[in-house]
Amino acid sequence: MKIIKIAFLFLTSVSFAQDGYWDNQRVTNKEIKLSAGERVLIKSEDFPDGTTEFVYRITLLDENQKMVSDLSSLLKAIPDPTGIAQGTGGAISLTSKISGDDKCTYAIFSDNNKATDFTKTGNIKRSCLYQNNPINKEVKVISLNESTCLADDSKTIWFGFESKNWILGQKIILEIVPWVDTKASRIWSQTNKKTALNFIKTTGIASKLPNSDAFCFNIIEKLQNEYRFSVFQKLSKTEKLSLINKFEDKALIETNTVEVYNKIIRQEAKTLSKQGKYDDAITLLNHKIINKGKSSVLDYNTLGELYIYTKQFEKALKTLNIAENLDSSELLVQLNLAHTYMFLDKMSESREIHNKYKEQNVSTNQTWKNKTINDLDKFQKANLPNDNFKKILRLVD
């Protein structure tokens, strides 16, 4: 009857779709010889990415006894460890067929320090699972969702054994086989995401945004669709930055932070301009706003003004013409066009613009005349050509 039940479990399990596999390449299979009353600590092999469960088997053997079959071979018959009707039931049913009379107790630790303490003191209360009743064999499944022994970022586990023999030594066989969930191996754990988040927050755009979490997580979503975390972590800092930069523009759009970021860049460019670092301000505006197609009419106006201060008058004219095409009613653009024509000695074009708008305000609180006088004063201090300044001043006076 028992054989029939085992066969039923096997047939039932193989009929389900497989979402993972038993990793028989990273099996822990160790034979421990334990002296009477001795304690020993065994570290598992590293778990592969995506480990969501593992099966372990402990078997105590008398001298000259051998295992009927290793645990890894038995588990090949069990496609999925999830659920009693599938792997868990099958794993427990298809376990050790032999054991000796010797007995031991054991505890499982998820932390090396706690495990080391066990070997010194025998303290099992800091373990995530322990068997205080001496056993000669044990088989269990440890699941990510049901045990604190396994976390989504767990790489190893520690087994502590204590012999309950009074006189003679004993032989213990410990086997651990991890189950790798195919989907979990692709999806980053919360711990891994936090690691990536902390890195992204220090980079480029994220470091400038006031509340960057949504932006950073958007990038993480894009990263995990293309890379496993282990692969991402192996990249150099330069490679990581290049990869993140690839997703930044789209993340800005999808998190509605384009304008927030642009305001920050504009302020940085303004600060650089006040410091006389015009070339740096030009580069910043071009690379971060203009060339990305995110610019407004005032961005082109600012860029045109920076070209004026660096005596790149033809570039200023080209840039301000773009701004005018975007919004011909923006008088700040019109005034900078008049300035540019003045520096190019195209006084008729400059006069025409001044005559057209000199009775208007360029902003709510500033007149065309006042702005013109202030600009000419700044141009004078910046050592720009001043041959036509007096002509313009007479025109707007």
Side-chain angles (χ1 to χ4, degrees):
M1 186 67 180
K2 187 174 181 182
I3 295 173
I4 295 174
K5 286 183 178 179
I6 294 173
F8 173 76
L9 287 169
F10 168 71
L11 292 172
T12 304
S13 64
V14 297
S15 66
F16 286 86
Q18 295 187 39
D19 293 321
Y21 58 93
W22 294 107
D23 192 332
N24 57 13
Q25 299 302 310
R26 278 168 280 199
V27 170
T28 300
N29 194 328
K30 296 187 178 180
E31 180 180 305
I32 310 123
K33 290 186 178 180
L34 202 57
S35 301
E38 184 185 2
R39 297 189 200 102
V40 69
L41 193 65
I42 303 298
K43 180 183 177 183
S44 72
E45 300 295 331
D46 287 350
F47 292 142
D49 291 339
T51 298
T52 56
E53 295 186 317
F54 65 85
V55 173
Y56 69 89
R57 178 169 66 173
I58 298 167
T59 311
L60 277 76
L61 298 178
D62 293 333
E63 289 301 317
N64 301 319
Q65 283 186 310
K66 294 183 179 181
M67 301 293 291
V68 172
S69 183
D70 65 86
L71 182 60
S72 178
S73 297
L74 290 171
L75 289 172
K76 288 180 182 179
I78 309 167
D80 190 338
T82 307
I84 295 300
Q86 296 182 56
T88 301
I92 293 174
S93 297
L94 294 170
T95 53
S96 177
K97 305 299 181 186
I98 187 169
S99 64
D101 294 327
D102 291 340
K103 293 186 177 182
C104 74
T105 60
Y106 71 91
I108 303 177
F109 299 87
S110 57
D111 179 88
N112 183 38
N113 292 330
K114 294 176 183 178
T116 303
D117 180 62
F118 163 80
T119 61
K120 298 175 182 177
T121 65
N123 183 8
I124 58 175
K125 298 204 174 165
R126 301 177 71 190
S127 65
C128 56
L129 186 151
Y130 62 87
Q131 174 56 269
N132 211 20
N133 297 318
I135 51 94
N136 62 356
K137 65 179 178 180
E138 183 93 291
V139 181
K140 285 189 177 179
V141 177
I142 299 297
S143 171
L144 175 66
N145 297 325
E146 298 175 1
S147 174
T148 58
C149 290
L150 186 63
D152 57 14
D153 60 341
S154 293
K155 287 299 178 186
T156 52
I157 202 81
W158 289 263
F159 277 73
F161 293 96
E162 183 171 7
S163 170
K164 290 303 176 181
N165 280 7
W166 285 60
I167 299 174
L168 300 176
Q170 57 191 195
K171 184 192 294 183
I172 302 173
I173 306 296
L174 171 64
E175 300 165 277
I176 308 170
V177 184
W179 170 265
V180 179
D181 184 290
T182 306
K183 186 178 180 182
S185 69
R186 292 195 302 266
I187 297 175
W188 295 16
S189 70
Q190 291 304 315
T191 301
N192 291 343
K193 286 181 180 180
K194 186 175 181 180
T195 300
L197 175 68
N198 291 336
F199 177 78
I200 295 171
K201 279 190 170 185
T202 66
T203 65
I205 294 176
S207 65
K208 299 178 186 296
L209 292 174
N211 298 302
S212 63
D213 281 4
F215 172 81
C216 293
F217 279 118
N218 186 283
I219 289 181
I220 289 172
E221 286 178 6
K222 291 173 172 45
L223 287 171
Q224 70 182 23
N225 287 336
E226 295 190 23
Y227 297 89
R228 293 189 180 193
F229 179 76
S230 57
V231 174
F232 175 75
Q233 279 296 83
K234 289 177 183 178
L235 298 176
S236 68
K237 182 177 180 180
T238 301
E239 290 171 328
K240 287 179 182 177
L241 290 173
S242 177
L243 190 60
I244 290 166
N245 183 64
K246 184 175 77 170
F247 299 122
E248 285 180 329
D249 289 342
K250 195 169 183 181
L252 280 173
I253 294 170
E254 292 177 358
T255 56
N256 298 314
T257 49
V258 173
E259 191 53 31
V260 174
Y261 179 66
N262 283 358
K263 285 181 180 178
I264 294 169
I265 295 300
R266 290 173 191 133
Q267 185 58 48
E268 288 185 4
K270 185 177 180 180
T271 300
L272 289 169
S273 178
K274 285 181 177 179
Q275 295 170 349
K277 299 177 181 179
Y278 301 120
D279 285 340
D280 291 340
I282 288 169
T283 299
L284 184 65
L285 280 176
N286 272 324
H287 288 181
K288 299 299 183 180
I289 297 182
I290 304 294
N291 295 345
K292 294 181 181 295
K294 304 172 184 177
S295 45
S296 68
V297 61
L298 292 179
D299 292 324
Y300 281 106
N301 179 67
T302 300
L303 183 61
E305 193 171 291
L306 289 168
Y307 282 135
I308 291 173
Y309 278 101
T310 55
K311 300 180 183 179
Q312 299 180 77
F313 302 124
E314 293 294 344
K315 283 187 177 181
L317 182 60
K318 180 180 178 181
T319 302
L320 291 165
N321 282 332
I322 295 172
E324 184 182 31
N325 288 333
L326 290 173
D327 186 358
S328 61
S329 69
E330 179 52 68
L331 295 194
L332 290 173
V333 173
Q334 294 296 338
L335 183 54
N336 275 328
L337 274 171
H339 294 328
T340 304
Y341 285 129
M342 174 190 68
F343 287 119
L344 290 170
D345 285 326
K346 296 181 179 181
M347 290 304 295
S348 60
E349 288 91 335
S350 182
R351 288 193 189 95
E352 182 180 350
I353 295 173
H354 280 293
N355 286 328
K356 186 175 181 180
Y357 299 110
K358 66 181 181 179
E359 301 302 329
Q360 297 189 41
N361 281 9
V362 296
S363 65
T364 306
N365 300 314
Q366 190 170 35
T367 65
W368 179 280
K369 176 182 176 180
N370 180 256
K371 178 74 164 101
T372 301
I373 293 171
N374 287 344
D375 285 354
L376 292 178
D377 182 57
K378 291 177 182 177
F379 294 154
Q380 184 80 35
K381 292 176 180 177
N383 295 317
L384 294 178
N386 59 8
D387 298 345
N388 295 317
F389 283 12
K390 290 181 180 179
K391 297 176 185 177
I392 299 300
L393 289 171
R394 284 198 299 269
L395 183 64
V396 298
D397 191 8

